[in-house]
Amino acid sequence: FNAPRPSAGRHPDHALHARNTVLAFLRRLSDRDRQIAVLAFVDGMTQAEIAEELGASRQTNNRRLQRLKERATRFGGKSG
């Protein structure tokens, strides 16, 4: 996710819009993809940690993360 992070110089409406965009994107994901996204981008887990947590191979998670990043980029472009 490349959603803008709120900062002191940004208008509060911008931060709210960014938050709502991320939440709307997450709602569109499958439960598994949402779980991977949160573990990677919110919790900051590595691919190896995610694989261990979910019981899936690192390669599988890597492919899913790549697809999630591509989808997030497309989704962010449509919502802005």
Side-chain angles (χ1 to χ4, degrees), residues 2-60:
N2 290 325
R5 295 187 183 270
S7 68
R10 294 191 187 221
H11 194 279
D13 288 343
H14 182 76
L16 181 61
H17 174 72
R19 178 182 178 276
N20 288 338
T21 299
V22 170
L23 291 175
F25 175 72
L26 288 173
R27 280 193 292 272
R28 292 175 177 250
L29 298 177
S30 68
D31 289 342
R32 178 63 111 186
D33 283 348
R34 186 178 311 108
Q35 188 176 22
I36 291 170
V38 169
L39 291 173
F41 303 116
V42 176
D43 295 342
M45 292 176 77
T46 66
Q47 290 177 19
E49 291 169 332
I50 294 169
E52 185 176 330
E53 176 80 16
L54 301 180
S57 75
R58 219 171 124 182
Q59 183 178 10
T60 297

